[in-house]
Amino acid sequence: MWSPVAVKTSPFVQVTDRTPVALPSTFSTPSTWSETELLDRLLASDANAWRELNNRYARLVTSCIQRVVARFARRVSVDAVEEIYATFSLKLLANDKHKLRSFEPSRGNKLGTWLGMLATHCAYDYLRSVRREPSPVCLTEAE
C-alpha cells in the first residue's frame, strides 16, 4: 500500500539491466549530472534528461552525421542530415531503449564518443538505403 512517508524517505530507484540503481535524493541541475546519472535518468524517461542529452550532444551528433553525408553530397538531399538525426533519435528509443541500455561505461567509453559512433553508423545505414532506391527520373525524360 502506498504511504507518503515511505515515498519521502526512500530515494527514487531505477532498474537498468535488472540491477537497481538509486538516483540521488538531492536536487541537482541537469548540467551537473554525470554521464551515468544522465543515462539512468534517460532510461527512467525523465524529460529533463532528454533535454540535457540534446543540449550536451546535439552538435556532436549533427557534426558526425554531416561528416559522413558531405562525402556523398551528390547522392543525398539537403534535408538528409535532419532525417538521419530523427532516425538516430528513434533508434535510441526503439525496443525499450535497447541502444541506451547497451552502453557500458565500464568498458572505458564516454557517452559522447559512443553516441557519435552510433550517429555515424546511422548515417551510413541511411546512405545504404538511399543507394538501394532507384534514381528519380524526370517525367519528360520518361516519355
Side-chain angles (χ1 to χ4, degrees):
M1 183 161 161
W2 181 79
S3 167
V5 175
V7 172
K8 289 181 182 177
T9 59
S10 67
F12 178 74
V13 174
Q14 168 60 38
V15 177
T16 59
D17 294 334
R18 298 181 205 106
T19 307
V21 176
L23 297 177
S25 59
T26 59
F27 178 76
S28 61
T29 60
S31 60
T32 61
W33 294 342
S34 67
E35 287 184 347
T36 307
E37 187 175 356
L38 176 63
L39 188 63
D40 290 340
R41 289 176 184 265
L42 287 169
L43 293 172
S45 299
D46 182 359
N48 289 330
W50 288 103
R51 281 188 211 96
E52 183 61 24
L53 179 78
N54 203 22
N55 288 340
R56 286 186 194 183
Y57 302 110
R59 286 192 316 224
L60 170 75
V61 169
T62 303
S63 69
C64 289
I65 293 169
Q66 286 174 338
R67 237 180 281 132
V68 172
V69 170
R71 295 183 208 150
F72 302 94
R74 293 184 210 157
R75 297 284 294 163
V76 294
S77 68
V78 178
D79 301 327
V81 174
E82 292 176 5
E83 187 172 339
I84 295 168
Y85 189 90
T87 304
F88 166 77
S89 299
L90 288 175
K91 283 186 177 183
L92 287 180
L93 292 169
N95 298 327
D96 193 31
K97 302 176 191 130
H98 176 72
K99 293 265 189 208
L100 287 173
R101 291 181 195 284
S102 67
F103 175 67
E104 296 177 19
S106 61
R107 296 178 80 184
N109 295 329
K110 290 185 175 182
L111 184 61
T113 305
W114 184 75
L115 290 172
M117 181 202 61
L118 288 179
T120 302
H121 288 231
C122 193
Y124 281 119
D125 290 344
Y126 176 82
L127 290 171
R128 278 188 219 103
S129 71
V130 168
R131 186 179 64 196
R132 289 185 198 117
E133 293 176 3
S135 59
V137 178
C138 184
L139 290 177
T140 57
E141 293 175 11
E143 294 176 353

